mmCIF file of all heavy atoms in Angstrom:
data_model
loop_
_atom_site.group_PDB
_atom_site.id
_atom_site.type_symbol
_atom_site.label_atom_id
_atom_site.label_comp_id
_atom_site.label_asym_id
_atom_site.label_seq_id
_atom_site.Cartn_x
_atom_site.Cartn_y
_atom_site.Cartn_z
ATOM 1 N N ARG A 324 -17.723 32.752 93.782
ATOM 2 C CA ARG A 324 -17.396 31.523 94.498
ATOM 3 C C ARG A 324 -16.853 30.486 93.568
ATOM 4 O O ARG A 324 -17.364 30.257 92.447
ATOM 5 C CB ARG A 324 -18.637 30.999 95.185
ATOM 6 C CG ARG A 324 -19.118 31.838 96.360
ATOM 7 C CD ARG A 324 -20.179 31.094 97.129
ATOM 8 N NE ARG A 324 -20.841 31.990 98.026
ATOM 9 C CZ ARG A 324 -20.596 32.066 99.350
ATOM 10 N NH1 ARG A 324 -19.692 31.252 99.870
ATOM 11 N NH2 ARG A 324 -21.251 32.894 100.124
ATOM 12 N N CYS A 325 -15.812 29.811 93.951
ATOM 13 C CA CYS A 325 -15.227 28.675 93.293
ATOM 14 C C CYS A 325 -14.398 28.013 94.353
ATOM 15 O O CYS A 325 -14.951 27.469 95.340
ATOM 16 C CB CYS A 325 -14.373 29.162 92.082
ATOM 17 S SG CYS A 325 -13.846 27.745 91.058
ATOM 18 N N LYS A 326 -13.088 27.896 94.167
ATOM 19 C CA LYS A 326 -12.222 27.320 95.195
ATOM 20 C C LYS A 326 -12.221 28.176 96.435
ATOM 21 O O LYS A 326 -12.089 27.701 97.539
ATOM 22 C CB LYS A 326 -10.817 27.209 94.641
ATOM 23 C CG LYS A 326 -9.845 26.510 95.510
ATOM 24 C CD LYS A 326 -8.515 26.321 94.888
ATOM 25 C CE LYS A 326 -7.523 25.601 95.787
ATOM 26 N NZ LYS A 326 -6.216 25.410 95.083
ATOM 27 N N TYR A 327 -12.445 29.481 96.237
ATOM 28 C CA TYR A 327 -12.510 30.441 97.312
ATOM 29 C C TYR A 327 -13.753 31.238 97.160
ATOM 30 O O TYR A 327 -14.380 31.283 96.097
ATOM 31 C CB TYR A 327 -11.327 31.407 97.296
ATOM 32 C CG TYR A 327 -9.978 30.787 97.281
ATOM 33 C CD1 TYR A 327 -9.271 30.668 96.089
ATOM 34 C CD2 TYR A 327 -9.410 30.395 98.458
ATOM 35 C CE1 TYR A 327 -7.999 30.077 96.104
ATOM 36 C CE2 TYR A 327 -8.148 29.790 98.445
ATOM 37 C CZ TYR A 327 -7.477 29.636 97.305
ATOM 38 O OH TYR A 327 -6.201 29.069 97.308
ATOM 39 N N THR A 328 -14.208 31.948 98.191
ATOM 40 C CA THR A 328 -15.154 33.049 98.033
ATOM 41 C C THR A 328 -14.343 34.237 97.924
ATOM 42 O O THR A 328 -13.494 34.663 98.792
ATOM 43 C CB THR A 328 -16.067 33.141 99.304
ATOM 44 O OG1 THR A 328 -16.862 31.985 99.446
ATOM 45 C CG2 THR A 328 -16.964 34.318 99.193
ATOM 46 N N GLU A 329 -14.431 34.989 96.742
ATOM 47 C CA GLU A 329 -13.675 36.148 96.486
ATOM 48 C C GLU A 329 -14.552 37.369 96.660
ATOM 49 O O GLU A 329 -15.615 37.464 96.053
ATOM 50 C CB GLU A 329 -13.207 36.198 95.027
ATOM 51 C CG GLU A 329 -12.262 35.088 94.673
ATOM 52 C CD GLU A 329 -11.799 35.206 93.203
ATOM 53 O OE1 GLU A 329 -12.011 36.207 92.573
ATOM 54 O OE2 GLU A 329 -11.275 34.165 92.672
ATOM 55 N N ILE A 330 -14.236 38.188 97.626
ATOM 56 C CA ILE A 330 -14.958 39.469 97.836
ATOM 57 C C ILE A 330 -14.136 40.606 97.277
ATOM 58 O O ILE A 330 -13.078 40.943 97.800
ATOM 59 C CB ILE A 330 -15.226 39.636 99.365
ATOM 60 C CG1 ILE A 330 -16.049 38.437 99.878
ATOM 61 C CG2 ILE A 330 -16.032 40.958 99.526
ATOM 62 C CD1 ILE A 330 -16.299 38.427 101.321
ATOM 63 N N ASP A 331 -14.634 41.129 96.189
ATOM 64 C CA ASP A 331 -13.919 42.120 95.338
ATOM 65 C C ASP A 331 -14.454 43.517 95.757
ATOM 66 O O ASP A 331 -15.640 43.758 95.596
ATOM 67 C CB ASP A 331 -14.171 41.775 93.879
ATOM 68 C CG ASP A 331 -13.406 42.595 92.903
ATOM 69 O OD1 ASP A 331 -12.786 43.611 93.321
ATOM 70 O OD2 ASP A 331 -13.376 42.232 91.749
ATOM 71 N N ILE A 332 -13.612 44.352 96.336
ATOM 72 C CA ILE A 332 -14.053 45.614 96.819
ATOM 73 C C ILE A 332 -13.162 46.784 96.413
ATOM 74 O O ILE A 332 -12.017 46.555 95.997
ATOM 75 C CB ILE A 332 -14.062 45.625 98.380
ATOM 76 C CG1 ILE A 332 -12.664 45.478 98.985
ATOM 77 C CG2 ILE A 332 -15.029 44.596 98.953
ATOM 78 C CD1 ILE A 332 -12.535 45.682 100.460
ATOM 79 N N ILE A 333 -13.751 47.954 96.399
ATOM 80 C CA ILE A 333 -12.990 49.196 96.337
ATOM 81 C C ILE A 333 -13.291 49.918 97.616
ATOM 82 O O ILE A 333 -14.200 50.718 97.679
ATOM 83 C CB ILE A 333 -13.400 50.017 95.079
ATOM 84 C CG1 ILE A 333 -13.117 49.245 93.784
ATOM 85 C CG2 ILE A 333 -12.567 51.338 95.010
ATOM 86 C CD1 ILE A 333 -13.607 49.934 92.541
ATOM 87 N N ASP A 334 -12.515 49.596 98.641
ATOM 88 C CA ASP A 334 -12.818 50.040 99.950
ATOM 89 C C ASP A 334 -11.667 49.617 100.929
ATOM 90 O O ASP A 334 -10.731 48.968 100.460
ATOM 91 C CB ASP A 334 -14.163 49.482 100.473
ATOM 92 C CG ASP A 334 -14.928 50.444 101.352
ATOM 93 O OD1 ASP A 334 -14.262 51.151 102.144
ATOM 94 O OD2 ASP A 334 -16.140 50.478 101.306
ATOM 95 N N ASP A 335 -11.828 49.855 102.173
ATOM 96 C CA ASP A 335 -10.878 49.473 103.187
ATOM 97 C C ASP A 335 -11.127 47.992 103.533
ATOM 98 O O ASP A 335 -12.192 47.668 104.019
ATOM 99 C CB ASP A 335 -11.104 50.344 104.429
ATOM 100 C CG ASP A 335 -10.134 50.027 105.558
ATOM 101 O OD1 ASP A 335 -9.247 49.070 105.420
ATOM 102 O OD2 ASP A 335 -10.217 50.628 106.583
ATOM 103 N N PRO A 336 -10.140 47.127 103.295
ATOM 104 C CA PRO A 336 -10.331 45.693 103.587
ATOM 105 C C PRO A 336 -10.702 45.449 105.066
ATOM 106 O O PRO A 336 -11.351 44.466 105.372
ATOM 107 C CB PRO A 336 -8.979 45.087 103.219
ATOM 108 C CG PRO A 336 -8.332 46.012 102.300
ATOM 109 C CD PRO A 336 -8.870 47.357 102.667
ATOM 110 N N GLN A 337 -10.282 46.338 105.976
ATOM 111 C CA GLN A 337 -10.559 46.128 107.380
ATOM 112 C C GLN A 337 -12.060 46.112 107.671
ATOM 113 O O GLN A 337 -12.482 45.513 108.628
ATOM 114 C CB GLN A 337 -9.832 47.208 108.192
ATOM 115 C CG GLN A 337 -8.343 47.059 108.243
ATOM 116 C CD GLN A 337 -7.896 45.668 108.788
ATOM 117 O OE1 GLN A 337 -8.409 45.203 109.756
ATOM 118 N NE2 GLN A 337 -6.949 45.082 108.057
ATOM 119 N N LYS A 338 -12.876 46.803 106.816
ATOM 120 C CA LYS A 338 -14.326 46.814 107.016
ATOM 121 C C LYS A 338 -14.846 45.392 106.872
ATOM 122 O O LYS A 338 -15.734 44.987 107.620
ATOM 123 C CB LYS A 338 -15.010 47.729 106.033
ATOM 124 C CG LYS A 338 -14.782 49.205 106.244
ATOM 125 C CD LYS A 338 -15.548 49.979 105.181
ATOM 126 C CE LYS A 338 -15.453 51.455 105.295
ATOM 127 N NZ LYS A 338 -16.217 52.162 104.268
ATOM 128 N N VAL A 339 -14.351 44.642 105.895
ATOM 129 C CA VAL A 339 -14.805 43.278 105.688
ATOM 130 C C VAL A 339 -14.292 42.368 106.772
ATOM 131 O O VAL A 339 -15.011 41.538 107.268
ATOM 132 C CB VAL A 339 -14.348 42.767 104.243
ATOM 133 C CG1 VAL A 339 -14.715 41.285 104.046
ATOM 134 C CG2 VAL A 339 -14.876 43.650 103.139
ATOM 135 N N ILE A 340 -12.993 42.575 107.145
ATOM 136 C CA ILE A 340 -12.384 41.742 108.128
ATOM 137 C C ILE A 340 -13.110 41.884 109.493
ATOM 138 O O ILE A 340 -13.312 40.904 110.223
ATOM 139 C CB ILE A 340 -10.921 42.080 108.292
ATOM 140 C CG1 ILE A 340 -10.164 41.654 106.984
ATOM 141 C CG2 ILE A 340 -10.277 41.450 109.503
ATOM 142 C CD1 ILE A 340 -8.769 42.216 106.852
ATOM 143 N N LYS A 341 -13.582 43.068 109.831
ATOM 144 C CA LYS A 341 -14.291 43.252 111.099
ATOM 145 C C LYS A 341 -15.573 42.426 111.081
ATOM 146 O O LYS A 341 -16.029 42.019 112.170
ATOM 147 C CB LYS A 341 -14.652 44.724 111.286
ATOM 148 C CG LYS A 341 -13.517 45.584 111.716
ATOM 149 C CD LYS A 341 -13.922 47.077 111.879
ATOM 150 C CE LYS A 341 -12.714 47.939 112.211
ATOM 151 N NZ LYS A 341 -13.045 49.347 112.342
ATOM 152 N N ILE A 342 -16.193 42.166 109.956
ATOM 153 C CA ILE A 342 -17.466 41.485 109.873
ATOM 154 C C ILE A 342 -17.203 39.959 109.710
ATOM 155 O O ILE A 342 -17.782 39.135 110.399
ATOM 156 C CB ILE A 342 -18.299 41.966 108.704
ATOM 157 C CG1 ILE A 342 -18.652 43.471 108.974
ATOM 158 C CG2 ILE A 342 -19.545 41.132 108.522
ATOM 159 C CD1 ILE A 342 -19.250 44.143 107.789
ATOM 160 N N LEU A 343 -16.283 39.561 108.812
ATOM 161 C CA LEU A 343 -16.124 38.160 108.475
ATOM 162 C C LEU A 343 -14.889 37.485 109.086
ATOM 163 O O LEU A 343 -14.743 36.274 108.965
ATOM 164 C CB LEU A 343 -16.039 37.996 106.939
ATOM 165 C CG LEU A 343 -17.287 38.497 106.166
ATOM 166 C CD1 LEU A 343 -17.015 38.274 104.654
ATOM 167 C CD2 LEU A 343 -18.506 37.683 106.584
ATOM 168 N N GLY A 344 -14.004 38.295 109.712
ATOM 169 C CA GLY A 344 -12.785 37.724 110.229
ATOM 170 C C GLY A 344 -11.685 37.781 109.221
ATOM 171 O O GLY A 344 -11.861 38.266 108.094
ATOM 172 N N ASN A 345 -10.520 37.194 109.582
ATOM 173 C CA ASN A 345 -9.354 37.298 108.714
ATOM 174 C C ASN A 345 -9.532 36.394 107.492
ATOM 175 O O ASN A 345 -9.927 35.232 107.590
ATOM 176 C CB ASN A 345 -8.121 36.876 109.462
ATOM 177 C CG ASN A 345 -7.675 37.903 110.446
ATOM 178 O OD1 ASN A 345 -7.751 39.113 110.249
ATOM 179 N ND2 ASN A 345 -7.158 37.489 111.623
ATOM 180 N N PRO A 346 -9.222 36.917 106.324
ATOM 181 C CA PRO A 346 -9.336 36.150 105.088
ATOM 182 C C PRO A 346 -8.056 35.248 104.901
ATOM 183 O O PRO A 346 -7.067 35.387 105.646
ATOM 184 C CB PRO A 346 -9.308 37.203 103.998
ATOM 185 C CG PRO A 346 -8.542 38.341 104.537
ATOM 186 C CD PRO A 346 -8.844 38.301 106.028
ATOM 187 N N ILE A 347 -8.139 34.313 103.997
ATOM 188 C CA ILE A 347 -7.016 33.526 103.650
ATOM 189 C C ILE A 347 -5.836 34.356 103.035
ATOM 190 O O ILE A 347 -4.710 34.234 103.358
ATOM 191 C CB ILE A 347 -7.375 32.402 102.663
ATOM 192 C CG1 ILE A 347 -8.422 31.469 103.310
ATOM 193 C CG2 ILE A 347 -6.186 31.619 102.120
ATOM 194 C CD1 ILE A 347 -9.071 30.555 102.309
ATOM 195 N N LYS A 348 -6.335 35.360 102.254
ATOM 196 C CA LYS A 348 -5.388 36.202 101.535
ATOM 197 C C LYS A 348 -6.026 37.524 101.179
ATOM 198 O O LYS A 348 -7.221 37.510 100.802
ATOM 199 C CB LYS A 348 -4.804 35.557 100.285
ATOM 200 C CG LYS A 348 -3.773 36.273 99.546
ATOM 201 C CD LYS A 348 -3.143 35.464 98.386
ATOM 202 C CE LYS A 348 -2.073 36.251 97.737
ATOM 203 N NZ LYS A 348 -1.401 35.476 96.707
ATOM 204 N N ILE A 349 -5.336 38.601 101.196
ATOM 205 C CA ILE A 349 -5.790 39.933 100.660
ATOM 206 C C ILE A 349 -4.920 40.252 99.452
ATOM 207 O O ILE A 349 -3.712 40.276 99.540
ATOM 208 C CB ILE A 349 -5.651 41.029 101.689
ATOM 209 C CG1 ILE A 349 -6.506 40.667 102.940
ATOM 210 C CG2 ILE A 349 -6.110 42.323 101.115
ATOM 211 C CD1 ILE A 349 -6.299 41.696 104.076
ATOM 212 N N ILE A 350 -5.596 40.543 98.380
ATOM 213 C CA ILE A 350 -4.942 40.837 97.121
ATOM 214 C C ILE A 350 -5.106 42.325 96.761
ATOM 215 O O ILE A 350 -6.307 42.717 96.634
ATOM 216 C CB ILE A 350 -5.389 39.900 96.000
ATOM 217 C CG1 ILE A 350 -5.123 38.478 96.338
ATOM 218 C CG2 ILE A 350 -4.762 40.333 94.644
ATOM 219 C CD1 ILE A 350 -6.022 37.446 95.618
ATOM 220 N N ASN A 351 -4.057 43.035 96.563
ATOM 221 C CA ASN A 351 -4.191 44.389 96.078
ATOM 222 C C ASN A 351 -4.105 44.181 94.531
ATOM 223 O O ASN A 351 -3.092 43.834 94.007
ATOM 224 C CB ASN A 351 -3.004 45.257 96.528
ATOM 225 C CG ASN A 351 -3.062 46.647 96.005
ATOM 226 O OD1 ASN A 351 -3.638 46.879 94.930
ATOM 227 N ND2 ASN A 351 -2.514 47.591 96.733
ATOM 228 N N VAL A 352 -5.230 44.413 93.839
ATOM 229 C CA VAL A 352 -5.349 44.087 92.469
ATOM 230 C C VAL A 352 -4.287 44.769 91.628
ATOM 231 O O VAL A 352 -3.727 44.194 90.695
ATOM 232 C CB VAL A 352 -6.757 44.470 91.976
ATOM 233 C CG1 VAL A 352 -6.862 44.305 90.468
ATOM 234 C CG2 VAL A 352 -7.792 43.655 92.651
ATOM 235 N N ASN A 353 -3.921 46.032 91.973
ATOM 236 C CA ASN A 353 -2.927 46.752 91.156
ATOM 237 C C ASN A 353 -1.511 46.207 91.368
ATOM 238 O O ASN A 353 -0.606 46.572 90.559
ATOM 239 C CB ASN A 353 -3.018 48.254 91.504
ATOM 240 C CG ASN A 353 -4.369 48.831 91.117
ATOM 241 O OD1 ASN A 353 -4.948 48.412 90.114
ATOM 242 N ND2 ASN A 353 -4.831 49.693 91.899
ATOM 243 N N GLU A 354 -1.258 45.429 92.393
ATOM 244 C CA GLU A 354 0.079 44.988 92.637
ATOM 245 C C GLU A 354 0.191 43.471 92.421
ATOM 246 O O GLU A 354 1.303 42.918 92.726
ATOM 247 C CB GLU A 354 0.465 45.332 94.063
ATOM 248 C CG GLU A 354 0.592 46.831 94.304
ATOM 249 C CD GLU A 354 0.801 47.239 95.744
ATOM 250 O OE1 GLU A 354 1.005 46.357 96.552
ATOM 251 O OE2 GLU A 354 0.753 48.451 96.002
ATOM 252 N N GLU A 355 -0.810 42.783 92.001
ATOM 253 C CA GLU A 355 -0.772 41.363 91.863
ATOM 254 C C GLU A 355 0.201 40.920 90.778
ATOM 255 O O GLU A 355 0.145 41.468 89.681
ATOM 256 C CB GLU A 355 -2.179 40.810 91.589
ATOM 257 C CG GLU A 355 -2.230 39.304 91.625
ATOM 258 C CD GLU A 355 -1.871 38.643 92.897
ATOM 259 O OE1 GLU A 355 -2.038 39.299 93.961
ATOM 260 O OE2 GLU A 355 -1.387 37.517 92.868
ATOM 261 N N LYS A 356 1.051 39.964 91.054
ATOM 262 C CA LYS A 356 2.065 39.506 90.109
ATOM 263 C C LYS A 356 2.062 38.024 89.844
ATOM 264 O O LYS A 356 3.041 37.488 89.334
ATOM 265 C CB LYS A 356 3.487 39.975 90.645
ATOM 266 C CG LYS A 356 3.645 41.409 90.885
ATOM 267 C CD LYS A 356 3.553 42.203 89.609
ATOM 268 C CE LYS A 356 3.802 43.680 89.926
ATOM 269 N NZ LYS A 356 3.099 44.573 89.041
ATOM 270 N N GLU A 357 1.022 37.344 90.233
ATOM 271 C CA GLU A 357 0.958 35.930 89.959
ATOM 272 C C GLU A 357 0.743 35.572 88.476
ATOM 273 O O GLU A 357 0.255 36.392 87.730
ATOM 274 C CB GLU A 357 -0.185 35.268 90.801
ATOM 275 C CG GLU A 357 0.140 35.274 92.282
ATOM 276 C CD GLU A 357 -0.829 34.527 93.106
ATOM 277 O OE1 GLU A 357 -1.125 33.365 92.797
ATOM 278 O OE2 GLU A 357 -1.287 35.127 94.115
ATOM 279 N N SER A 358 1.117 34.415 88.065
ATOM 280 C CA SER A 358 1.067 34.033 86.642
ATOM 281 C C SER A 358 -0.358 33.571 86.276
ATOM 282 O O SER A 358 -1.138 33.194 87.142
ATOM 283 C CB SER A 358 2.088 32.902 86.372
ATOM 284 O OG SER A 358 1.624 31.717 87.009
ATOM 285 N N PHE A 359 -0.605 33.603 84.978
ATOM 286 C CA PHE A 359 -1.908 33.127 84.499
ATOM 287 C C PHE A 359 -2.207 31.741 84.957
ATOM 288 O O PHE A 359 -3.351 31.435 85.515
ATOM 289 C CB PHE A 359 -1.996 33.260 82.937
ATOM 290 C CG PHE A 359 -3.222 32.656 82.437
ATOM 291 C CD1 PHE A 359 -4.449 33.279 82.464
ATOM 292 C CD2 PHE A 359 -3.227 31.352 81.851
ATOM 293 C CE1 PHE A 359 -5.625 32.729 81.965
ATOM 294 C CE2 PHE A 359 -4.357 30.791 81.381
ATOM 295 C CZ PHE A 359 -5.553 31.448 81.406
ATOM 296 N N PRO A 360 -1.279 30.735 84.768
ATOM 297 C CA PRO A 360 -1.663 29.356 85.210
ATOM 298 C C PRO A 360 -1.969 29.261 86.709
ATOM 299 O O PRO A 360 -2.897 28.558 87.079
ATOM 300 C CB PRO A 360 -0.415 28.551 84.821
ATOM 301 C CG PRO A 360 0.226 29.345 83.708
ATOM 302 C CD PRO A 360 -0.024 30.775 84.060
ATOM 303 N N ASP A 361 -1.166 29.965 87.506
ATOM 304 C CA ASP A 361 -1.412 29.927 88.975
ATOM 305 C C ASP A 361 -2.806 30.496 89.310
ATOM 306 O O ASP A 361 -3.480 29.899 90.099
ATOM 307 C CB ASP A 361 -0.342 30.704 89.731
ATOM 308 C CG ASP A 361 1.000 30.015 89.726
ATOM 309 O OD1 ASP A 361 1.090 28.795 89.477
ATOM 310 O OD2 ASP A 361 1.991 30.705 89.946
ATOM 311 N N LEU A 362 -3.182 31.527 88.683
ATOM 312 C CA LEU A 362 -4.429 32.159 88.944
ATOM 313 C C LEU A 362 -5.594 31.236 88.407
ATOM 314 O O LEU A 362 -6.558 30.966 89.101
ATOM 315 C CB LEU A 362 -4.526 33.573 88.344
ATOM 316 C CG LEU A 362 -3.592 34.563 88.915
ATOM 317 C CD1 LEU A 362 -3.537 35.819 88.025
ATOM 318 C CD2 LEU A 362 -4.030 34.956 90.330
ATOM 319 N N PHE A 363 -5.411 30.829 87.142
ATOM 320 C CA PHE A 363 -6.458 30.016 86.536
ATOM 321 C C PHE A 363 -6.710 28.729 87.296
ATOM 322 O O PHE A 363 -7.899 28.369 87.560
ATOM 323 C CB PHE A 363 -6.091 29.727 85.074
ATOM 324 C CG PHE A 363 -7.164 28.991 84.314
ATOM 325 C CD1 PHE A 363 -8.214 29.681 83.744
ATOM 326 C CD2 PHE A 363 -7.153 27.616 84.179
ATOM 327 C CE1 PHE A 363 -9.205 29.058 83.066
ATOM 328 C CE2 PHE A 363 -8.138 26.961 83.504
ATOM 329 C CZ PHE A 363 -9.158 27.679 82.931
ATOM 330 N N PHE A 364 -5.675 27.960 87.618
ATOM 331 C CA PHE A 364 -5.871 26.681 88.234
ATOM 332 C C PHE A 364 -6.199 26.772 89.707
ATOM 333 O O PHE A 364 -6.449 25.777 90.342
ATOM 334 C CB PHE A 364 -4.638 25.799 88.011
ATOM 335 C CG PHE A 364 -4.549 25.397 86.541
ATOM 336 C CD1 PHE A 364 -3.493 25.841 85.763
ATOM 337 C CD2 PHE A 364 -5.514 24.648 85.961
ATOM 338 C CE1 PHE A 364 -3.386 25.465 84.434
ATOM 339 C CE2 PHE A 364 -5.469 24.229 84.610
ATOM 340 C CZ PHE A 364 -4.391 24.693 83.874
ATOM 341 N N ASN A 365 -6.177 28.029 90.259
ATOM 342 C CA ASN A 365 -6.712 28.236 91.606
ATOM 343 C C ASN A 365 -8.097 28.892 91.541
ATOM 344 O O ASN A 365 -8.560 29.468 92.557
ATOM 345 C CB ASN A 365 -5.768 29.090 92.449
ATOM 346 C CG ASN A 365 -4.660 28.232 93.056
ATOM 347 O OD1 ASN A 365 -4.972 27.369 93.823
ATOM 348 N ND2 ASN A 365 -3.436 28.460 92.633
ATOM 349 N N CYS A 366 -8.743 28.785 90.387
ATOM 350 C CA CYS A 366 -10.095 29.272 90.214
ATOM 351 C C CYS A 366 -10.242 30.819 90.415
ATOM 352 O O CYS A 366 -11.257 31.281 90.776
ATOM 353 C CB CYS A 366 -11.134 28.538 91.074
ATOM 354 S SG CYS A 366 -11.230 26.798 90.672
ATOM 355 N N ARG A 367 -9.185 31.536 90.236
ATOM 356 C CA ARG A 367 -9.191 32.991 90.385
ATOM 357 C C ARG A 367 -9.311 33.571 88.923
ATOM 358 O O ARG A 367 -8.401 34.219 88.451
ATOM 359 C CB ARG A 367 -7.948 33.437 91.129
ATOM 360 C CG ARG A 367 -8.027 33.014 92.617
ATOM 361 C CD ARG A 367 -6.770 33.152 93.360
ATOM 362 N NE ARG A 367 -6.193 34.535 93.338
ATOM 363 C CZ ARG A 367 -4.956 34.765 93.739
ATOM 364 N NH1 ARG A 367 -4.195 33.849 94.184
ATOM 365 N NH2 ARG A 367 -4.519 36.010 93.659
ATOM 366 N N PHE A 368 -10.446 33.287 88.336
ATOM 367 C CA PHE A 368 -10.669 33.543 86.955
ATOM 368 C C PHE A 368 -10.647 35.007 86.527
ATOM 369 O O PHE A 368 -10.162 35.377 85.490
ATOM 370 C CB PHE A 368 -11.918 32.867 86.471
ATOM 371 C CG PHE A 368 -11.919 31.345 86.692
ATOM 372 C CD1 PHE A 368 -12.875 30.795 87.449
ATOM 373 C CD2 PHE A 368 -10.951 30.584 86.095
ATOM 374 C CE1 PHE A 368 -12.845 29.400 87.677
ATOM 375 C CE2 PHE A 368 -10.909 29.205 86.350
ATOM 376 C CZ PHE A 368 -11.866 28.647 87.121
#
């Protein structure tokens, strides 16, 4: 928890969505291309 609640899983994201509803964003960790400053200043440490 910081700016967001990050739920980090190795599973089907739809399982979480069925319980908590639609997230703000779903990130596929292996395909993420954001820059260090963007990630850091959005508390995605």
